[in-house]
Amino acid sequence: MSCAACVARVERAVKSLDGVEACSVNLLTNSMNVEGNASERDIINAVKKAGYGATLQGKSSSASNEDKAVFVDNESPVLRRRFFISLGFLLVLMYVSMGGHIGLYMPPFLEENPLVFALIQMILSSIILVINQKFFISGFKSIFKLSPNMDSLVAIGSGASFIYSTVILFIMCLNTGNHEYMHELAHSELYFESAAMILVLITVGKMLEAFSKGKTKNALKSLIKLKPTSATLLIDGEEIEVEIATIKEGDIFVVKAGGCVPVDAIITEGEGALDESALTGESVPAEKGKGDKIYASTINKSGYILARATEVGEKTALSKIIKTVTDAVATKAPIAKIADTVSGFFVPVVISIAIITVIIWLLAGADIGYSLARGISVLVISCPCALGLATPVAIMVGSGVGAKKGILFKDAGKLEACGKCDIILLDKTGTITSGEPEVTDIIPFGISEDELLKYAYSLEEKSEHPLALAINKIAKKKDISSFTLEHFKTLSGSGVTGEINGERLFGASYKYTYEHLGECAELKSHFDALALQGKTPLFFVKNDTPLGIIAVRDTLKDGSREAILSLKEMGFYTVMLTGDNEKTARAVADEVGVDEVIAGVLPDGKAQVVESMKRHGKVIMVGDGINDSPALASSDVGIAIGNGTDIAIDTADVVLMKSKPQDICTAIKLSRATLLNIKQNLFWAFIYNGIGIPLATGAFIYVSGGVLTLSPMFGALAMSLSSFSVVTNALRLNFFSEKRHFKKKKKILNIEKETDEMKITLKVEGMMCPHCEARVKSALEAIDGIESAVPSHKKSNVVVKLSKEIDTAIIISTIEAQGYKATL
């Protein structure tokens, strides 16, 4: 493929196959991603019928070789060889054709014999055409398949000059008796040097373009070079060096000071300071000891480590990063559709303009040589190649820069979309806060602190929730043992429950406790006091008798406040989501300065909030847990914190390896910088053709007094530089800085007001106790469209939160079916 027209041709051919759902062709990497159930054979045949070749990626002997193959520059050496050989013959040709005009010495046989003068030019020009025959083979093959490309324009332009000059040479042969006429034709009607010069200048452009394209891949090449090639295994007490490909899961290997970790593993013995900058961008080495996870390509700065391999080959974190970035580069951003649309008809239109230009000049009285020169100029100045490279080169550099900073974009479309969003939802735990809460208060009721901790530890021991881990941590620290717990169950978004010696216990939020015990002044008082301090109180109850309260507080991550402030400056409306209670959430929200807070959100409710927000703009969701994955999937762009769960990382569109809040801002800034770069590239590609083609036609020749026009040689030079300038502009992204400011007018919303509009309060008569409340609650929440229902027998009402419009009569009839009277 040589230009955007080739890309359009291949995509059309493959998309026409039955079973192909999507097809994305990348000019920069000469690769294609196909989704659907069409066979490999049918796809390859379709590409061949379109005039190109294709092979299935992944058939090399190792995945590492496959990675390297994608980024090996085989093009530059071939182009360099072609250019320098062509240049040698071109210099001789230019001396023969132009030497006499600029006062250089010319051998008598050239000056006195016009036929020899013309023949030598034709021979030298023919040699250059043969050296650069690729343009003609590719160009005319595309024409015969009714899908002309950039090579077609070059082939027609250069070929027309050569054929016209050859015709003039034959006319000279037929007029050998008229020396003066032959001399005039030889010095005014021969364009052999133009035919050759066009090819050489286009080759120069292609060579510069290939060099610059190679530079755009440097970030990814550096990642691939990080892959270790050998490891030191410990076998029967003996250290043996082996190739990396021979390591299997479970093997024990040694990493000495200065050594590189070969595969992902768990430390079984020893400790060391691991430099993980290759993966996370974090320059400070991380201290690792027994039981800690270590990753392939990280360097052991000090210490001696024995580790057991857990992930090898393509399962390692580094391999996954490389695959993520290469997959993103192979995808196509939506903005590229502009270039794709134009490319589909660009070349045929240009050829038509060139033919019309020649006809108009002939009708205007110009001679055939001049008219042909105008048409050839139109052909060689037009550049669909710049259009085809405008988007992929920027995506390549942007993705590579992101990877070096520990930010992985999984898809080019999401790299573009990230910068276009204006609402950001941030999960509290693990995103704004550290996700490692600590116990701050232990308040027992009628029992000792240690007894309360023992009951709490017994309940929370089987839970992986961060709040549970905080209780487990302090219980272990105090050497407190646990009771035998039976019938353990997680209360989604509320807490945990189980039985000890046949007695039912639960540890839960105040909301759950209130729903089951009713209102208690003492519990409410403690709850209010703790929540206002930003603490999360957990209530422990045995057989409906409160045992006590354990309060837990999660500390803010370093940089959370600064990240929120930066997001606001970039025009984002910031929203904090949490399953925590309203007062605790408010305290945290006030501390970091978010615009709005939505508290008490159950796991499935986060996705509903995202859908609600999408009515007002494009939404980014940032989270790290399993309960965040539905929201990450339903948002316009999902960003997962790198130390989050695998399901969150798999679901997200962007992964932050370092887990720093400021990296959220960096990802968005990089997206906006990349999008701006793409727009600049497209602008220059379009404006170049918009100005260059009219100039080449000679449309301004009379207005400018003959100044504003382009010869075929200058047209070819301009075409060469257009692609080079687009690729060079994309390389500027390598100097991207996270300190760059992207200010944007902020979107004004009032989520709380909108949330209130989706609530209905009904008067309910007949509820006498918490059991009545539970009946009404379960009946209402079973209705599709009701997000939550909060009944109160003391207030004789129920507050219903809706996720969509529901007829009030349905709600009333459901309550009355439970034996209560309901009115608005």
Side-chain angles (χ1 to χ4, degrees):
M1 297 186 298
S2 62
C3 67
C6 301
V7 171
R9 169 74 175 170
V10 173
E11 284 188 348
R12 276 199 306 272
V14 175
K15 283 179 179 177
S16 66
L17 293 174
D18 291 335
V20 172
E21 296 171 7
C23 170
S24 175
V25 178
N26 190 301
L27 178 64
L28 183 63
T29 57
N30 287 327
S31 63
M32 173 174 64
N33 277 0
V34 183
E35 293 178 22
N37 54 15
S39 70
E40 168 196 335
R41 185 176 173 183
D42 289 344
I43 293 169
I44 291 175
N45 286 338
V47 174
K48 287 181 177 178
K49 285 179 183 176
Y52 306 90
T55 54
L56 185 68
Q57 239 179 40
K59 293 212 169 179
S60 57
S61 59
S62 73
S64 178
N65 290 338
E66 183 63 38
D67 285 333
K68 292 172 183 174
V70 175
F71 300 105
V72 169
D73 183 10
N74 295 318
E75 193 177 8
S76 292
V78 175
L79 287 169
R80 265 198 306 272
R81 188 164 57 250
R82 260 172 48 192
F83 167 69
F84 284 114
I85 296 173
S86 299
L87 182 63
F89 286 103
L90 180 66
L91 290 174
V92 178
L93 174 59
M94 294 304 292
Y95 168 73
V96 172
S97 62
M98 309 288 288
H101 297 289
I102 58 175
L104 296 178
Y105 168 77
M106 297 292 287
F109 71 90
L110 287 176
E111 282 193 330
E112 297 170 4
N113 193 328
L115 203 57
V116 173
F117 176 78
L119 267 172
I120 290 175
Q121 286 189 57
M122 188 188 78
I123 293 168
L124 291 169
S125 179
S126 298
I127 294 171
I128 294 171
L129 263 66
V130 171
I131 293 169
N132 294 279
Q133 61 184 284
K134 180 181 178 295
F135 290 113
F136 296 93
I137 295 169
S138 169
F140 287 116
K141 185 191 290 184
S142 297
I143 291 173
F144 294 143
K145 290 185 177 291
L146 301 179
S147 181
N149 57 16
M150 188 202 81
D151 289 344
S152 305
L153 299 178
V154 175
I156 294 172
S158 177
S161 297
F162 184 83
I163 291 169
Y164 175 76
S165 301
T166 304
V167 170
I168 295 298
L169 178 58
F170 277 107
I171 293 172
M172 290 170 63
C173 291
L174 296 173
N175 291 274
T176 50
N178 191 339
H179 189 273
E180 188 175 327
Y181 180 58
M182 286 175 63
H183 190 276
E184 183 185 340
L185 289 176
H187 289 277
S188 63
E189 295 296 329
L190 291 180
Y191 290 93
F192 286 120
E193 81 283 358
S194 292
M197 180 71 83
I198 288 169
L199 296 176
V200 174
L201 289 175
I202 297 296
T203 302
V204 170
K206 284 284 184 185
M207 188 173 68
L208 293 173
E209 180 188 314
F211 173 77
S212 300
K213 279 159 66 176
K215 289 286 185 185
T216 67
K217 302 172 186 175
N218 279 352
L220 298 183
K221 287 177 184 175
S222 64
L223 279 176
I224 292 168
K225 286 177 182 177
L226 290 173
K227 281 192 170 185
T229 56
S230 63
T232 304
L233 289 183
L234 190 65
I235 302 173
D236 297 329
E238 186 179 351
E239 295 181 5
I240 300 173
E241 188 166 327
V242 299
E243 287 188 7
I244 196 77
T246 64
I247 296 184
K248 302 183 296 294
E249 290 182 15
D251 284 350
I252 302 295
F253 60 84
V254 175
V255 185
K256 298 176 182 178
C260 181
V261 178
V263 295
D264 293 0
I266 297 287
I267 296 177
T268 57
E269 189 179 320
E271 55 186 28
L274 275 293
D275 178 1
E276 298 179 334
S277 58
L279 292 181
T280 66
E282 187 63 65
S283 57
V284 180
E287 296 294 331
K288 301 280 186 175
K290 186 176 179 179
D292 288 336
K293 182 92 174 178
I294 55 176
Y295 299 95
S297 81
T298 56
I299 307 296
N300 185 18
K301 291 292 187 181
S302 62
Y304 179 89
I305 291 171
L306 284 180
R308 185 183 74 256
T310 54
E311 283 91 21
V312 301
E314 295 310 290
K315 294 180 181 178
T316 65
L318 178 63
S319 293
K320 288 177 180 177
I321 289 171
I322 293 170
K323 185 177 187 306
T324 297
V325 178
T326 51
D327 286 351
V329 168
T331 58
K332 192 169 288 188
I335 196 170
K337 291 177 183 176
I338 301 170
D340 290 347
T341 303
V342 174
S343 301
F345 55 81
F346 183 85
V347 175
V349 168
V350 167
I351 293 172
S352 301
I353 292 172
I355 293 170
I356 292 169
T357 298
V358 173
I359 293 170
I360 290 175
W361 278 109
L362 287 173
L363 293 175
D367 61 61
I368 189 169
Y370 183 85
S371 302
L372 192 61
R374 298 279 64 73
I376 292 170
S377 296
V378 170
L379 290 171
V380 296
I381 200 173
S382 307
C383 190
C385 193
L387 283 173
L389 289 170
T391 302
V393 289
I395 294 295
M396 172 71 85
V397 180
S399 298
V401 169
K404 288 171 80 174
K405 293 182 179 291
I407 300 167
L408 302 180
F409 292 93
K410 294 184 180 179
D411 181 86
K414 299 303 180 181
L415 174 56
E416 177 186 333
C418 194
K420 291 182 174 180
C421 294
D422 40 28
I423 302 170
I424 187 163
L425 308 180
L426 303 112
D427 178 53
K428 179 176 78 73
T429 306
T431 302
I432 293 176
T433 60
S434 65
E436 298 177 2
E438 296 178 349
V439 172
T440 58
D441 301 84
I442 302 174
I443 307 169
F445 296 154
I447 57 175
S448 68
E449 285 191 7
D450 284 355
E451 281 182 283
L452 175 57
L453 259 179
K454 187 164 185 171
Y455 279 113
Y457 180 38
S458 303
L459 271 174
E460 305 289 2
E461 190 177 15
K462 295 181 180 180
S463 175
E464 291 296 320
H465 193 280
L467 300 182
L469 296 178
I471 293 173
N472 296 343
K473 182 179 177 182
I474 194 169
K476 289 175 182 176
K477 188 177 180 181
K478 291 190 170 191
D479 289 327
I480 291 175
S481 60
S482 61
F483 293 110
T484 301
L485 185 76
E486 297 176 331
H487 308 302
F488 173 81
K489 183 181 177 184
T490 299
L491 306 169
S492 181
S494 298
V496 292
T497 183
E499 289 184 8
I500 295 176
N501 297 326
E503 296 181 304
R504 181 176 180 271
L505 281 90
F506 70 77
S509 63
Y510 175 74
K511 179 182 175 184
Y512 182 88
T513 306
Y514 167 75
E515 289 171 355
H516 284 74
L517 299 185
E519 193 162 336
C520 174
E522 187 179 5
L523 294 182
K524 183 75 165 61
S525 173
H526 283 299
F527 167 73
D528 288 342
L530 293 167
L532 285 172
Q533 297 172 49
K535 299 173 182 177
T536 302
L538 301 173
F539 296 82
F540 293 89
V541 177
K542 182 174 77 170
N543 290 339
D544 294 340
T545 301
L547 295 174
I549 302 169
I550 297 179
V552 178
R553 180 179 173 88
D554 198 358
T555 55
L556 289 181
K557 275 189 177 180
D558 290 339
S560 287
R561 292 187 194 88
E562 293 78 5
I564 300 295
L565 179 62
S566 182
L567 287 168
K568 286 181 171 183
E569 288 177 350
M570 287 192 285
F572 277 92
Y573 190 83
T574 55
V575 184
M576 186 181 82
L577 289 180
T578 179
D580 219 333
N581 66 78
E582 182 80 22
K583 290 184 179 178
T584 301
R586 280 282 172 200
V588 175
D590 291 342
E591 204 171 345
V592 295
V594 294
D595 294 307
E596 294 286 353
V597 58
I598 301 179
V601 185
L602 297 176
D604 56 343
K606 292 182 181 180
Q608 293 173 353
V609 172
V610 169
E611 290 299 331
S612 173
M613 291 298 100
K614 284 169 75 173
R615 299 199 303 265
H616 307 283
K618 292 188 177 295
V619 176
I620 293 175
M621 172 67 197
V622 187
D624 72 327
I626 292 173
N627 62 348
D628 297 322
S629 54
L632 291 169
S634 59
S635 61
D636 292 294
V637 178
I639 300 180
I641 300 295
N643 63 355
T645 59
D646 288 342
I647 189 169
I649 291 172
D650 289 344
T651 307
D653 306 301
V654 184
V655 178
L656 309 181
M657 299 296 292
K658 287 187 284 189
S659 305
K660 291 184 177 179
Q662 282 287 8
D663 281 352
I664 301 169
C665 306
T666 303
I668 294 166
K669 288 178 179 179
L670 179 58
S671 168
R672 291 183 177 178
T674 304
L675 186 59
L676 178 63
N677 193 277
I678 290 171
K679 288 178 178 177
Q680 290 169 348
N681 288 345
L682 287 172
F683 170 79
W684 288 116
F686 280 117
I687 205 72
Y688 160 81
N689 284 297
I691 294 173
I693 292 174
L695 275 176
T697 62
F700 304 116
I701 198 163
Y702 293 117
V703 179
S704 62
V707 176
L708 293 179
T709 187
L710 286 172
S711 70
M713 285 183 284
F714 280 111
L717 180 62
M719 183 192 204
S720 301
L721 294 178
S722 65
S723 299
F724 177 65
S725 64
V726 163
V727 179
T728 304
N729 183 53
L731 287 172
R732 292 192 306 109
L733 281 172
N734 281 312
F735 303 105
F736 165 80
S737 169
E738 49 265 44
K739 294 179 182 178
R740 185 174 176 181
H741 291 288
F742 283 92
K743 292 196 175 182
K744 182 180 173 184
K745 190 175 179 181
K746 188 173 178 180
K747 193 177 235 352
I748 304 299
L749 292 175
N750 192 331
I751 295 170
E752 287 188 332
K753 183 178 178 183
E754 292 170 12
T755 305
D756 289 340
E757 290 173 358
M758 296 298 285
K759 286 181 180 178
I760 298 175
T761 303
L762 296 97
K763 187 176 180 182
V764 181
E765 296 177 13
M767 290 193 298
M768 305 295 290
C769 64
H771 297 292
C772 298
E773 292 175 352
R775 283 183 66 186
V776 172
K777 178 180 175 66
S778 59
L780 290 177
E781 290 185 349
I783 300 173
D784 181 32
I786 292 183
E787 189 175 317
S788 64
V790 183
S792 171
H793 72 278
K794 292 192 175 182
K795 295 180 182 179
S796 296
N797 71 4
V798 60
V799 179
V800 181
K801 187 176 180 182
L802 307 177
S803 59
K804 65 181 182 181
E805 293 289 335
I806 295 178
D807 189 347
T808 312
I810 296 174
I811 300 174
I812 291 173
S813 63
T814 302
I815 296 171
E816 291 180 345
Q818 301 302 312
Y820 308 99
K821 186 179 179 182
T823 54
L824 274 173

